[in-house]
Amino acid sequence: MAIITFNSSLDEKIADTAAQMKRVLREHDPLKIAVAWTGGKDSTVVLAIWREVLKAEGGLKPLCFSIDTGVKFPEVMSFRDNLAVEWNIDLKVIRPEVDIKVYPIAKDTVSCCRDLKIIPLQKALAENEVDVLITGIRRDEHPSREAREPLEIRENPDHTVFNPILEWTEMDIWSFITMHEIPHCELYDKGYRSLGCQPCTVLGEGEGERQGRNKDKEKNLELLTSLGYF
């Protein structure tokens, strides 16, 4: 695998990401590879590159899992649904089996993420027999992700988490979006830099990309990852 660093050019990072994707595609059934698509900027960039890789390898339709917790920004969900049609995506929307009207949203952020995101995702992975889940996480966005690996073996159910843009920066993401005219959710134009569920996301105040995220959830992100969060 090529050694890509933060100082590498964006063209090198794009080429490395595509090369990683091609290797994974050769080693796994493409029908059992899914993109974890949040509707955010990072996973949309990953989806854009994956889509081009699939086109070059025979034109398969990308499979995407998108978790709708019931408290996501409607702008994000609308963007996701419209782009899924435009890009001809096989979109599977995952929803929690809880009554969102009475659920104690964000009272305990770990329990909330587990019930609304992790458990539904694990169920969907098992039911669809997914071998590889492609994410849009980056090392520089959170301390808990600095040591993440491109390929991570997970259990419950057994699958591999594939992180192909770990070495990208926020600037890389927006440069790619601009250069290749990739659509993005309108909330970014209003000042949001990172988008989660509505109760846990506000306009950030400060220089950190995830300053607008719920602080309790942020400090427990490594724990959430150990529970099955990507």
Side-chain angles (χ1 to χ4, degrees), residues 6 36 38 41-43 67 72 113 117-118 121 135-152 154 161 163-168 193-196 209-210 213 217-226 228-230:
F6 285 122
T38 66
K41 65 187 188 304
D42 304 289
S43 60
I67 304 171
K72 293 276 191 176
C113 283
K117 294 179 180 179
I118 297 172
L121 175 61
T135 82
I137 69 167
R138 308 187 334 261
R139 293 193 198 283
D140 72 330
E141 62 183 332
H142 194 278
S144 71
R145 291 175 172 169
E146 291 177 357
R148 297 288 296 271
E149 297 291 336
L151 296 172
E152 300 172 334
R154 296 281 185 88
V161 172
N163 308 309
I165 62 165
L166 282 175
E167 311 303 342
W168 290 46
R193 293 172 66 188
S194 182
L195 298 172
E209 182 180 355
R210 295 175 68 96
R213 293 296 196 103
K217 177 192 171 180
E218 290 297 284
K219 73 179 184 181
N220 286 300
L221 196 53
E222 188 169 2
L223 171 60
L224 288 167
T225 299
S226 73
Y229 192 62
F230 51 80

Side-chain angles (χ1 to χ4, degrees), residues 56-125:
E57 298 294 326
L60 287 174
K61 181 186 295 190
L63 170 63
C64 289
F65 284 0
S66 183
I67 304 171
D68 184 351
T69 60
V71 288
K72 293 276 191 176
F73 285 95
E75 293 92 340
V76 176
M77 299 295 92
S78 177
F79 166 75
R80 177 203 66 191
D81 293 344
N82 291 334
L83 191 59
V85 174
E86 181 182 340
W87 280 6
N88 191 29
I89 302 300
D90 183 3
L91 176 64
K92 295 188 183 299
V93 178
I94 303 166
R95 295 183 174 88
E97 295 180 350
V98 302
D99 186 346
I100 206 66
K101 295 179 181 178
V102 299
Y103 187 87
I105 300 293
K107 296 299 183 183
D108 179 326
T109 56
V110 172
S111 295
C112 189
C113 283
R114 180 197 63 210
D115 295 341
L116 302 190
K117 294 179 180 179
I118 297 172
I119 292 175
L121 175 61
Q122 290 174 332
K123 181 179 179 182
L125 291 170

Side-chain angles (χ1 to χ4, degrees), residues 55 149 158 201:
K55 281 183 182 179
E149 297 291 336
D158 292 337
T201 308

Side-chain angles (χ1 to χ4, degrees), residues 12-25:
E12 289 175 312
K13 291 177 182 179
I14 295 169
D16 180 71
T17 294
Q20 290 183 63
M21 289 178 170
K22 290 175 183 177
R23 283 194 293 270
V24 167
L25 189 58

